[in-house]
Amino acid sequence: MSTLLSVVVPMYNEEAVVPALVERLRPVLDGLGIAYEVVAVDDGSADRTAALLFEHGRTWPELRLVKLRRNSGHQAALTAGLQRSRGDWVVSIDADLQDPPEAIAEMLRVARDRGVDVVYGVRSDRSTDTAFKRHTAGAYYRLMRRLVGAEVPAQAGDFRLLSREVVEVLKVLPERTPVYRLLVPSLGFSSAAVPYVRERRVAGETKYPLRRMVALAWNSAADFSAAPLRIATWLGGLAFVSCLGLMVFGVVVWANGTVIPGWTSLFLAVLLLSAVQLICLGLLGEYVARIYRTVQNRPTFHVEFDSAAEPAAAAAR
C-alpha cells in the first residue's frame, strides 16, 4: 500500500517532548484510517532525542528516524524531512505541540474537498505566547508582506500541508537557506487555510530565542528581497545631502567672515561618510557571502542514517 500521508517533525534536544508527542500524535494519525508515516528528523541533538525516537519506533512501525550528523538548523532539518518523505501529502509540524496534531485531519479534508495543493495552519489565537513574542511575530509578518508580497499568509508558520507536486518542486529549487513560510507562498500553488488556537509548549525550552528570531527575519528579507541593498542606496543619498548642507553652511560662515575651527566640520563629515560606507559594505558583503555559499554548492545537512533505509545501522546505535 502506498503512503498517503507523511508527517515531518524536525527535532533538536526534545527528549522531554518525545513521549507527549508520540502519545498525542499516534492516535490522531491512526484515526485517519490511511497509510501514513512520521518522519522525525533529529537535528544533531546532544540529548537522548534520537534514542527515544528509535525506542518508540520499535512499537510504532510508521515512525521513521532520520538523524543528521550535526545541528544544521530548523529549516535544514525540515528540508531533510521533505526530501525523505514518501507520502502523497506531506504535513510539517513542530515537536513542541504548540501546533495541535488534531488539525491535521481538517487540513487533509480541506485539501481534498477544495482541490488545493497547500493548506496553511493559521494561528487565530496566540494568547499562550508572551506579549513580546506576539508583537514581534506581528511585526515580522507585516514586514514580510510588504517586502515579499500580500500572498504571504499572516500568522502562518511551518505548520502546513503540501501536495506531492509542491514537495517535488521544492526539492529541485536551488535554495541554500530556504525560509519555507515565504518560499511556499511564492510558488503560486492553490491554497487554503485552517485556523487553530496556538497552545503552550508541553515541555522543554523554545528553540527560537530572540537571536534565532532575528536571524530568521534577516534571512527572510535577504533571500526574498533586495530591500536591504536599497537601504544602502538611501543611506548614501542621505549622506550626500548632509554633506551638501555642511558645504553650504561652511560657505555661508566663510562669507560672513566668521572663523570656524576646521577640525569640527571635517570630523563630522568623515564620521558620517565612514559610517554610511561601512553599513553599505556590510550589506554588500552579506549578499556576496550568499553568492559564495551558492557557488560552493555544499550540502546544508548530512544524513547520518534513516531508520527506514538502514535499520541495521540504526539498531547498532
Side-chain angles (χ1 to χ4, degrees):
M1 182 184 300
S2 62
T3 303
L4 182 64
L5 177 68
S6 294
V7 180
V8 176
V9 190
M11 296 186 181
Y12 177 64
N13 290 344
E14 297 284 15
E15 66 175 347
V17 171
V18 171
L21 175 68
V22 172
E23 182 180 359
R24 188 168 170 185
L25 182 60
R26 184 174 186 178
V28 170
L29 298 180
D30 287 343
L32 296 177
I34 59 176
Y36 71 87
E37 66 173 356
V38 177
V39 184
V41 183
D42 176 59
D43 187 20
S45 299
D47 60 6
R48 297 186 64 250
T49 298
L52 289 175
L53 289 170
F54 185 71
E55 291 175 7
H56 284 287
R58 296 179 185 275
T59 56
W60 189 10
E62 290 82 5
L63 176 61
R64 292 172 57 191
L65 169 61
V66 175
K67 181 174 174 57
L68 305 187
R69 292 187 179 277
R70 61 176 177 83
N71 178 238
S72 302
H74 180 270
Q75 297 297 295
L78 182 54
T79 300
L82 292 176
Q83 291 186 357
R84 295 265 170 161
S85 65
R86 300 174 296 199
D88 297 335
W89 298 93
V90 181
V91 172
S92 58
I93 186 173
D94 289 340
D96 55 17
L97 292 178
Q98 288 190 282
D99 303 329
E102 292 78 11
I104 294 176
E106 178 65 11
M107 296 168 80
L108 186 60
R109 185 193 66 78
V110 169
R112 287 170 157 178
D113 291 350
R114 300 188 187 180
V116 297
D117 291 292
V118 183
V119 179
Y120 299 102
V122 176
R123 302 154 182 169
S124 60
D125 185 344
R126 301 190 63 155
S127 58
T128 56
D129 289 336
T130 63
F132 175 77
K133 184 67 176 290
R134 291 197 300 271
H135 285 93
T136 53
Y140 168 83
Y141 285 108
R142 286 193 298 271
L143 176 62
M144 291 306 107
R145 288 167 71 89
R146 187 174 183 84
L147 293 179
V148 182
E151 68 271 10
V152 177
Q155 301 300 329
D158 287 317
F159 184 32
R160 69 179 72 83
L161 180 141
L162 307 173
S163 68
R164 172 50 51 182
E165 183 180 0
V166 178
V167 174
E168 292 302 319
V169 171
L170 292 174
K171 288 168 65 174
V172 300
L173 291 178
E175 296 285 336
R176 303 295 301 169
T177 54
V179 181
Y180 286 106
R181 63 188 66 190
L182 302 182
L183 182 58
V184 172
S186 71
L187 298 178
F189 283 93
S190 58
S191 64
V194 169
Y196 69 93
V197 177
R198 188 164 171 82
E199 303 178 12
R200 294 186 183 277
R201 175 178 254 275
V202 295
E205 299 179 352
T206 178
K207 302 306 183 294
Y208 259 90
L210 179 60
R211 173 178 57 85
R212 292 198 173 185
M213 290 169 60
V214 172
L216 175 65
W218 167 248
N219 286 333
S220 300
D223 285 354
F224 289 87
S225 174
L229 291 178
R230 297 192 185 102
I231 292 175
T233 302
W234 282 104
L235 286 174
L238 179 62
F240 177 74
V241 172
S242 300
C243 289
L244 286 179
L246 288 173
M247 291 172 61
V248 172
F249 172 74
V251 171
V252 170
V253 173
W254 174 79
N256 291 333
T258 306
V259 178
I260 321 173
W263 67 268
T264 304
S265 57
L266 181 63
F267 172 75
L268 291 174
V270 171
L271 183 64
L272 178 62
L273 288 174
S274 299
V276 171
Q277 287 175 347
L278 289 174
I279 292 173
C280 296
L281 286 174
L283 292 173
L284 288 171
E286 284 287 341
Y287 279 86
V288 171
R290 291 169 185 273
I291 296 172
Y292 176 67
R293 287 196 296 268
T294 301
V295 171
Q296 284 182 313
N297 199 29
R298 294 175 181 172
T300 55
F301 61 87
H302 297 273
V303 175
E304 184 174 348
F305 67 84
D306 183 337
S307 62
E310 307 167 70
R317 298 173 187 274

